[in-house]
């Protein structure tokens, strides 16, 4: 267990369960909503741009606040922030389920994003503090597999709920997950923190949050208007300037900074974050579009669209724990290079999907290949990120990497306006174009891994901790 743990009575297996349940809230939310978007749009009489707002209202605060969530956990306790974030997420889910109109739904989605920004980086940092060595790699692999499997099974459950109960039910399923995570973490998890973070870098946190908020909010407005007006330009320029000021403040604070810039001297850390941005952006776009196209253009019901994505759960759940353990032995370079390349192949296979395509010959092969690619990359990516920094900065590193992943998804969503504005079979052409772009981006992610990730990162971490 890492320095800074406040109790020696942790139960590692139950801590793993609590972290899986808590983080699954974020993973499930991102995928279960995709099969419900057409029903939500019809329920409120919303336009295509409103569909993007439903997605981005969650992603925007999540991407802007993840860095702060990880830093707060380092100082005030990762267990405490995990419980707080999970409770907020549950309350926000209830608000979404009971929302009388689109405005209240968007308020609930924003609060969900804030809760996820607190629980997600601290679930991973708490695991990182509880396990050591090869057990850490295996635990992270199980954590990643469970989250990915939950995200993949969620469309199936969500599709059934939308068909038989109604779309608000997709938010009710978060309540038992959150309750279980809170109870188990409170009883079995040992608190851990970075004792050296005695003074939280609030100026840096504020500048980073406002800078990311300006950029992501500007992109969200642009995705609605599809043009650059003075407000959008001001938000984007202001966001960039604030992030520049944030870097200046962090450089002056040195080791006391919320995000020590020394982390970026490691080529592996920089490269894996670039890979994260590219891969999760491309994959997130496909996971948003695929069920939407199956429902709107191919005539699938929400349940059928969920069933179509079920192989993702099976493949990722079976393969990710093995890849986590394997990568802990050989390093992340090979799997992190191969995974995005396989994802690119899956996206190209998906260009065979059209309004009259067979599931077995067009949809299923693409889904299976996409799942294999992500299974190769998910667990090794997480462990490689944590291996590239010292233990003191685990919360900061995980928060930053999660922010990068969500920002990639946010930007991808912002770029999908020209696809979502289409209806029926008219969706197919823009969908294919988005798939080709996604494949190119995924190849770029694989190249980034090959050029920056060393052959073995776990030995480096062990040496640093010795």
């Amino acid at each position: 267990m890492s320095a800074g743990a406040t109790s020696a009575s942790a139960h590692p297996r139950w801590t793993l369960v609590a972290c899986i349940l808590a983080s699954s809230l974020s993973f499930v939310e991102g995928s279960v909503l995709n099969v419900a978007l057409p029903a939500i749009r019809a329920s409120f009489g919303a336009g295509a741009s409103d569909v993007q707002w439903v997605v981005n209202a969650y992603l925007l605060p999540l991407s802007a606040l993840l860095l702060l969530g990880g830093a707060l956990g380092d100082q005030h306790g990762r267990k405490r922030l995990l419980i707080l974030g999970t409770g907020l997420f549950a309350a926000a889910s209830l608000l979404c389920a009971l929302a009388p109109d689109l405005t209240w739904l968007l308020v609930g989605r924003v609060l969900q994003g804030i809760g996820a920004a607190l629980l997600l980086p601290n679930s991973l940092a708490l695991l990182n503090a509880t396990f050591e060595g090869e057990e850490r790699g295996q635990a992270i692999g199980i954590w990643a597999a469970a989250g990915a499997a939950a995200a993949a099974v969620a469309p199936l459950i969500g599709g059934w709920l939308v068909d038989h109960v109604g779309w608000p039910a997709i938010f009710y399923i978060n309540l038992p997950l959150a309750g279980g995570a809170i109870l188990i973490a409170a009883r079995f998890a040992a608190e851990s923190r970075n004792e050296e973070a005695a003074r939280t870098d609030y100026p840096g946190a504020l500048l980073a949050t406002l800078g990311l908020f300006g950029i992501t909010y500007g992109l969200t407005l642009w995705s609605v208007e599809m043009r650059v007006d003075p407000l959008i330009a001001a938000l984007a320029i202001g966001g960039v300037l604030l992030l520049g000021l944030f870097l200046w403040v962090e450089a002056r604070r040195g080791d006391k900074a919320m995000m020590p810039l020394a982390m970026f001297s490691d080529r592996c850390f920089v490269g894996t974050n670039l890979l994260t941005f590219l891969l999760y952006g491309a994959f997130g776009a496909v996971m948003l579009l695929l069920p939407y196209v199956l429902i709107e253009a191919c005539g699938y019901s929400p349940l059928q669209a969920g069933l179509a994505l079920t192989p993702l759960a099976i493949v990722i759940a079976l393969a990710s724990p093995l890849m986590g353990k394997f990568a802990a032995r050989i390093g992340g370079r090979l799997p992190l290079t191969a995974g995005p390349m396989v994802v690119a192949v899956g996206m190209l296979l998906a260009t065979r999907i059209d309004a009259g395509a067979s599931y077995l010959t067009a949809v299923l092969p693409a889904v299976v290949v996409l799942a294999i690619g992500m299974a190769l990359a998910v667990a090794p990516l997480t462990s490689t990120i944590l291996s590239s920094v010292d233990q003191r900065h685990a919360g900061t590193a995980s928060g930053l990497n999660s922010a990068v992943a969500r920002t990639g998804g946010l930007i991808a969503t912002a770029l999908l306006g020209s696809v979502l504005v289409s209806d029926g079979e008219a969706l197919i052409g823009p969908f294919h174009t988005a798939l080709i772009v996604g494949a190119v981006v995924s190849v770029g992610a694989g190249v980034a891994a090959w050029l920056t990730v060393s052959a073995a990162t776990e030995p480096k971490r062990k040496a640093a901790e010795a």
Side-chain angles (χ1 to χ4, degrees):
M1 186 173 297
S2 69
T6 60
S7 172
S9 60
H11 295 264
R13 291 183 180 179
W14 281 111
T15 300
L16 176 59
V17 172
C19 291
I20 287 173
L21 288 175
S23 60
S24 291
L25 292 168
S26 178
F27 295 132
V28 166
E29 196 57 37
S31 59
V32 72
L33 185 74
N34 293 344
V35 297
L37 283 176
I40 293 174
R41 179 179 179 180
S43 174
F44 292 125
S49 61
D50 295 319
V51 172
Q52 292 173 277
W53 276 110
V54 173
V55 176
N56 285 346
Y58 172 77
L59 287 178
L60 198 155
L62 176 57
S63 60
L65 297 174
L66 267 167
L67 190 62
L68 178 59
L72 287 173
D74 280 347
Q75 179 186 356
H76 298 291
R78 294 146 184 169
K79 171 182 172 179
R80 178 179 299 174
L81 268 293
L82 177 75
I83 292 174
L84 177 62
T86 303
L88 177 58
F89 196 100
S93 297
L94 185 60
L95 175 59
C96 289
L98 299 175
D101 54 39
L102 184 62
T103 299
W104 280 107
L105 176 62
L106 295 180
V107 170
R109 293 286 290 162
V110 169
L111 293 175
Q112 278 188 318
I114 296 172
L118 297 178
L119 71 89
L120 192 59
N122 287 295
S123 68
L124 183 54
L126 190 61
L127 273 188
N128 197 58
T130 303
F131 294 91
E132 296 180 351
E134 190 171 308
E135 289 185 353
R136 176 185 289 140
Q138 188 173 14
I140 291 174
I142 295 172
W143 176 86
V153 171
L156 174 61
I157 300 173
W160 186 90
L161 290 172
V162 172
D163 277 345
H164 295 88
V165 182
W167 66 260
I170 68 170
F171 295 105
Y172 286 122
I173 63 176
N174 294 330
L175 302 182
L177 288 175
I182 291 172
L183 291 174
I184 294 173
R187 173 64 179 85
F188 295 109
E191 186 60 278
S192 70
R193 55 172 56 87
N194 176 8
E195 297 289 358
E196 297 181 13
R199 293 191 297 255
T200 298
D201 180 14
Y202 288 111
L206 179 63
L207 289 170
T209 300
L210 292 177
L212 285 173
F213 183 84
I215 292 173
T216 53
Y217 188 41
L219 286 172
T220 302
L221 290 178
W222 176 82
S223 72
V224 175
E225 302 292 337
M226 295 304 293
R227 62 185 177 86
V228 178
D229 61 23
L231 175 60
I232 293 173
L235 285 168
I237 294 172
V240 171
L241 292 176
L242 286 169
L243 287 182
L245 184 57
F246 163 70
L247 293 176
W248 181 78
V249 169
E250 297 303 277
R252 287 178 59 87
R253 291 183 65 88
D255 288 338
K256 296 179 181 180
M258 180 183 67
M259 188 186 73
L261 297 186
M263 292 192 300
F264 291 91
S265 65
D266 187 287
R267 185 179 66 174
C268 178
F269 181 78
V270 174
T272 45
N273 275 289
L274 175 61
L275 181 153
T276 299
F277 178 80
L278 297 175
L279 179 61
Y280 277 83
F283 185 74
V286 172
M287 287 298 99
L288 172 64
L289 287 179
L290 183 55
Y292 193 86
V293 168
L294 291 178
I295 294 170
E296 293 289 298
C298 302
Y300 284 46
S301 70
L303 177 58
Q304 290 171 331
L307 283 168
L309 300 179
T310 301
L312 276 167
I314 299 172
V315 174
I316 293 176
L318 291 176
S320 288
L322 298 177
M323 285 308 305
K325 190 174 182 179
F326 185 60
R329 294 178 178 176
I330 70 165
R333 189 183 192 192
L334 182 59
L336 290 179
T337 300
M341 299 294 184
V342 175
V343 168
V345 173
M347 292 178 181
L348 294 178
L349 285 175
T351 60
R352 300 169 65 240
I353 299 173
D354 56 36
S358 164
Y359 174 73
L360 290 178
T361 60
V363 181
L364 180 60
V367 169
V368 170
V369 174
L370 283 169
I372 292 172
M374 290 304 293
L376 285 170
V378 170
L381 176 58
T382 303
S383 58
T384 301
I385 282 287
L386 292 177
S387 296
S388 65
V389 299
D390 59 55
Q391 182 73 15
R392 295 181 302 122
H393 299 134
T396 302
S398 62
L400 176 62
N401 186 245
S402 295
V404 168
R406 270 62 193 183
T407 302
L410 176 66
I411 292 176
T413 303
L415 296 175
L416 295 178
S418 61
V419 181
L420 296 174
V421 75
S422 304
D423 293 310
E425 293 187 18
L427 278 166
I428 298 299
F431 173 55
H432 289 172
T433 300
L435 288 169
I436 293 171
V437 173
V440 173
V441 171
S442 296
V443 169
V447 172
W450 180 257
L451 294 177
T452 62
V453 178
S454 60
T457 53
E458 184 64 20
K460 174 183 175 182
R461 176 169 193 134
K462 290 179 179 178
E465 293 177 358

